[in-house]
């Protein structure tokens, strides 16, 4: 029966793949998903204008963690977009809004080597993108102003102005921490000859929206550069008004592209409020991509069907990219600007020079962290009197062999191996969800002492087991962990399609809270 259903699904999917759909007008086509190559025999001169790329709230991310399929982001993909646009013949400027170098305002001592090395890699990547200007925020000053300034990036101080040549026009970039300061700086940019002004406001979108309505504001666009919290900027957002306000998806997952089109004469810039069919097609493609992402991430999907759906997803993502990077209609008698978010999808190309910086970071950081742990690491404190500590899954197995047999057939059992396969077993951003009892009393606090605690063990879900081992009883252990335990790792970033009811059966079986075959269908462990 299962085979028959699969055959019907595959047949339907292949039929959908063969359907001819309208394509956008592009300056280049895609010979393979994400690869942009020109098919025109005679290059077409770009209309007068310029292109701005804006990032913000990157929060120290060089790329996605890789815990799920089709995760957006990556400084290499961002660099490719900027470098590719420079081949179009127009002036191109890359601007960073700040809050990009670090993800936290305070670091523990063991985090310092990794996070400083990462900030330097980000700064080097910005240089490969030809960064023209950047604002700063509190997440840039985690290691102090001297460290930030030592990176040598072209900063615009709070309340400051930088004017960039953009062909026959000038673009002003202003930075501010309040709406009132933004008004003043934008007026100064106009006085210095800026024709188009970008305001970088070190505040969340709601504050940027309020600033955009202030009297006297001389900016054409206000960018919110600091989201309220780690998971507060999961989507790109645009508030259309006389002065639009935008917030770019955080953690380097998207770029904002601003296309300026010049009329023969200088004058005010007008936002292109609608791009008609293009916006509708992009919205439809994003809905289809979201559905495919959910289906591809389903823990029980057949591998062959998953591969087919992934191929279709790559095709749709490449088509969406074509729409988003196609030049806007040339101006006639009006100076215009178009705003487009560029999600950095997983199938998009990466710039080799920027990606080399990421690889160098990956190679260095594990050695840095391990060396620090050996030289300065401290064992976790013992649990307080009467409180449980971690004992390791081997102790649990002595009394619970059936549950252990189920666990050994799940992906949880191989959590540490997944880090080793990608060389991230010594990355502090990753180990917390792949080691049992990380940074907890009686657990593991040193990278050089994880032996016996590797993987997502019994106590990762059921809590520390020392009291239960000494006095076995339902009262001394968490017998049935709830969703709240799971989402500490299966959160919106690492596991965006996590559904408790769907995932739970994958870790149950005889002797471990479930019936039927071990590990939900007794499948071999995924690696």
């Amino acid at each position: 029966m299962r085979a028959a259903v699969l055959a019907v699904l595959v047949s339907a999917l292949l039929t959908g793949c063969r359907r001819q759909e309208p394509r956008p007008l592009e300056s280049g086509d895609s010979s393979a998903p994400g690869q942009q190559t020109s098919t025109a025999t005679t290059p077409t001169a770009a209309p007068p204008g310029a292109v701005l790329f804006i990032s913000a709230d990157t929060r120290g991310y060089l790329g996605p963690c890789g815990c799920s399929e089709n995760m957006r982001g990556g400084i290499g993909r961002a660099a490719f977009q900027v470098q590719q646009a420079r081949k179009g013949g127009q002036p191109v400027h890359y601007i960073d809004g700040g809050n990009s170098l670090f993800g936290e305002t305070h670091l523990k001592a063991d985090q310092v080597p990794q996070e400083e090395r990462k900030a330097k890699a980000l700064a080097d990547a910005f240089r490969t993108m030809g960064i023209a200007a950047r604002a700063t925020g509190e997440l840039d000053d985690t290691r102090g102003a001297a460290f930030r300034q030592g990176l040598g990036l072209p900063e615009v101080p709070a309340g400051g102005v930088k004017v960039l040549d953009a062909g026959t026009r000038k673009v002003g970039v202003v930075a501010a921490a309040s709406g009132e300061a933004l008004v003043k700086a934008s007026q100064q940019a106009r006085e210095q000859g800026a024709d188009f002004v970008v305001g970088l406001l070190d505040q969340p979108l709601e504050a940027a929206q309020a600033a955009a309505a202030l009297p006297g504001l001389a900016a054409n666009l206000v960018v919110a550069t600091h989201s309220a919290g780690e998971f507060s900027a999961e989507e790109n957002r645009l508030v259309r008004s006389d002065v639009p306000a935008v917030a770019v998806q955080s953690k380097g997952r998207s770029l904002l592209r601003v296309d300026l089109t010049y009329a023969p004469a200088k004058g005010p810039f007008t936002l292109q409020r609608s791009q008609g069919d293009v916006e509708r097609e992009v919205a439809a493609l994003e809905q289809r991509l979201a559905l495919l992402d959910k289906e591809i991430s389903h823990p029980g999907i057949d591998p062959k069907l998953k591969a087919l759906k992934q191929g279709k997803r790559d095709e749709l993502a490449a088509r969406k990219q074509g729409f988003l990077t196609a030049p806007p209609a040339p101006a006639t008698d009006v100076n215009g600007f178009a705003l487009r978010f560029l999600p950095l999808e997983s199938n998009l190309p990466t710039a080799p020079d920027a990606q080399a910086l990421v690889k160098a970071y990956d190679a260095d950081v594990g050695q840095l962290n391990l060396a620090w742990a050996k030289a300065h690491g401290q064992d976790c404190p013992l649990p307080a009197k009467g409180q449980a500590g971690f004992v390791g899954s081997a102790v649990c197995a002595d009394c619970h062999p059936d549950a252990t047999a189920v666990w050994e057939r799940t992906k949880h059992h191989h959590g540490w191996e997944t880090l080793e396969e990608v060389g991230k077993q010594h990355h502090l951003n990753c180990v917390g969800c792949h080691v049992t009892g990380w940074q907890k009393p009686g657990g593991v606090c040193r990278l050089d002492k994880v032996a016996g605690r590797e993987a997502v063990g019994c106590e990762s879900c059921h809590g520390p087991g020392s009291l239960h081992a000494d006095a076995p009883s339902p009262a001394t252990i968490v017998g049935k962990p709830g969703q709240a335990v799971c989402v500490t790792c299966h959160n919106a970033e690492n596991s965006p399609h996590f559904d408790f009811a769907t995932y739970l059966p994958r870790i149950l079986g005889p002797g471990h809270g479930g019936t039927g075959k071990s590990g939900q269908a007794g499948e071999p462990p995924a690696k």
Side-chain angles (χ1 to χ4, degrees):
M1 180 66 182
R2 182 181 178 188
V5 172
L6 177 59
V8 171
L9 288 173
V10 171
S11 175
L13 186 60
L14 289 175
T15 300
C17 291
R18 287 192 294 267
R19 181 171 64 89
Q20 296 298 314
E21 300 185 8
R23 296 178 62 83
L25 295 176
E26 302 179 33
S27 59
D29 202 356
S30 295
S31 56
Q35 298 291 334
Q36 299 172 353
T37 57
S38 176
T39 58
T41 56
T42 304
T44 303
V51 181
L52 311 177
F53 287 95
I54 302 175
S55 62
D57 209 29
T58 301
R59 292 177 170 260
Y61 272 67
L62 284 169
C65 67
C67 297
S68 298
E69 291 92 352
N70 300 312
M71 299 184 79
R72 288 179 178 176
I75 196 69
R77 293 174 188 147
F80 180 87
Q81 296 302 311
V82 176
Q83 293 172 8
Q84 192 76 1
R86 289 203 169 98
K87 299 177 181 179
Q90 293 181 319
V92 174
H93 289 299
Y94 168 55
I95 301 163
D96 180 61
N99 291 299
S100 298
L101 300 178
F102 299 94
E104 304 170 76
T105 55
H106 297 89
L107 300 176
K108 297 178 181 178
D110 63 339
Q111 293 177 285
V112 171
Q114 171 176 299
E115 297 305 315
E116 287 191 348
R117 177 67 179 84
K118 192 192 305 179
K120 291 175 182 177
L122 274 168
D124 288 340
F126 287 164
R127 276 186 278 272
T128 72
M129 300 163 72
I131 188 168
R134 76 177 303 266
T136 63
E138 65 171 350
L139 292 177
D140 297 304
D141 280 344
T142 298
R143 295 300 295 156
F147 176 87
R148 186 200 76 228
Q149 293 166 356
L151 297 175
L153 296 173
E155 295 182 353
V156 180
V161 177
K162 185 168 186 177
V163 178
L164 308 173
D165 288 325
T168 59
R169 306 292 192 274
K170 293 185 180 297
V171 171
V173 180
V174 302
S178 69
E180 293 73 17
L182 190 68
V183 169
K184 182 178 180 180
S186 67
Q187 293 174 349
Q188 291 175 348
R190 295 292 183 183
E191 292 170 359
Q192 295 179 28
D195 300 286
F196 185 89
V197 177
V198 177
L200 305 174
L201 183 64
D202 186 21
Q203 294 287 340
L205 179 62
E206 292 72 20
Q209 184 179 359
L214 289 174
L217 183 70
N220 299 94
L221 170 67
V222 178
V223 181
T225 65
H226 194 180
S227 54
E230 182 181 0
F231 298 112
S232 300
E234 293 299 299
E235 297 180 356
N236 294 305
R237 296 176 62 190
L238 164 63
V239 179
R240 294 183 181 275
S241 60
D242 291 340
V243 178
V246 301
V248 184
Q249 189 179 30
S250 66
K251 301 174 183 176
R253 289 173 287 182
S254 295
L255 288 172
L256 174 66
R257 175 171 172 149
V258 184
D259 284 271
L260 306 179
T261 53
Y262 302 158
K266 291 187 177 183
F269 277 81
T270 301
L271 174 65
Q272 296 183 0
R273 292 188 174 274
S274 175
Q275 299 176 54
D277 293 340
V278 171
E279 288 186 350
R280 285 190 291 271
E281 183 70 14
V282 168
L285 287 169
E286 287 180 342
Q287 290 179 351
R288 295 173 67 184
L289 287 168
L291 178 60
L292 281 169
D293 281 342
K294 186 174 183 178
E295 293 171 343
I296 290 168
S297 298
H298 192 286
I301 188 172
D302 183 275
K304 292 182 180 179
L305 183 59
K306 180 176 181 177
L308 284 170
K309 288 182 177 290
Q310 183 64 50
K312 184 62 178 177
R313 188 202 185 279
D314 289 345
E315 175 195 331
L316 297 180
R319 189 178 306 165
K320 184 183 76 168
Q321 184 71 5
F323 279 114
L324 293 174
T325 56
T332 53
D333 57 347
V334 176
N335 295 288
F337 68 103
L339 303 176
R340 287 179 282 188
F341 295 108
L342 296 183
L344 300 174
E345 301 288 359
S346 59
N347 68 312
L348 294 181
T350 60
D353 50 358
Q355 196 60 25
L357 295 170
V358 177
K359 290 183 178 180
Y361 162 80
D362 283 337
D364 290 347
V365 73
Q367 297 178 21
L368 287 171
N369 287 338
L370 192 59
W372 191 96
K374 291 178 178 179
H376 309 288
Q378 299 289 325
D379 293 331
C380 289
L382 295 175
K385 185 177 181 180
Q387 299 297 311
F390 289 83
V391 296
S393 297
V395 174
C396 305
D398 291 340
C399 295
H400 301 281
D402 292 340
T404 299
V406 174
W407 171 69
E408 288 176 344
R409 290 178 171 83
T410 68
K411 291 185 177 182
H412 282 170
H413 178 58
H414 298 275
W416 181 257
E417 294 173 25
T418 63
L419 290 185
E420 290 181 318
E421 289 169 359
V422 294
K424 293 189 177 183
Q425 69 271 28
H426 297 135
H427 285 219
L428 295 176
N429 302 108
C430 303
V431 295
C433 287
H434 296 256
V435 168
T436 303
W438 179 252
Q439 296 291 343
K440 295 179 180 178
V444 183
C445 289
R446 294 177 57 156
L447 282 174
D448 59 331
K449 290 188 176 182
V450 300
R453 303 296 175 85
E454 302 96 334
V456 184
C458 308
E459 295 165 292
S460 295
C461 301
H462 295 280
S466 63
L467 296 182
H468 185 70
D470 292 338
S473 163
T476 55
I477 200 72
V478 179
K480 292 185 177 181
Q483 181 174 345
V485 174
C486 305
V487 296
T488 57
C489 285
H490 289 280
N491 55 36
E493 177 188 348
N494 300 331
S495 190
H497 303 289
F498 176 74
D499 176 75
F500 182 68
T502 300
Y503 278 58
L504 181 62
R506 315 302 299 179
I507 60 171
L508 301 181
H512 192 233
T515 59
K517 296 181 179 179
S518 300
Q520 185 68 15
E523 298 158 342
K527 297 209 178 168

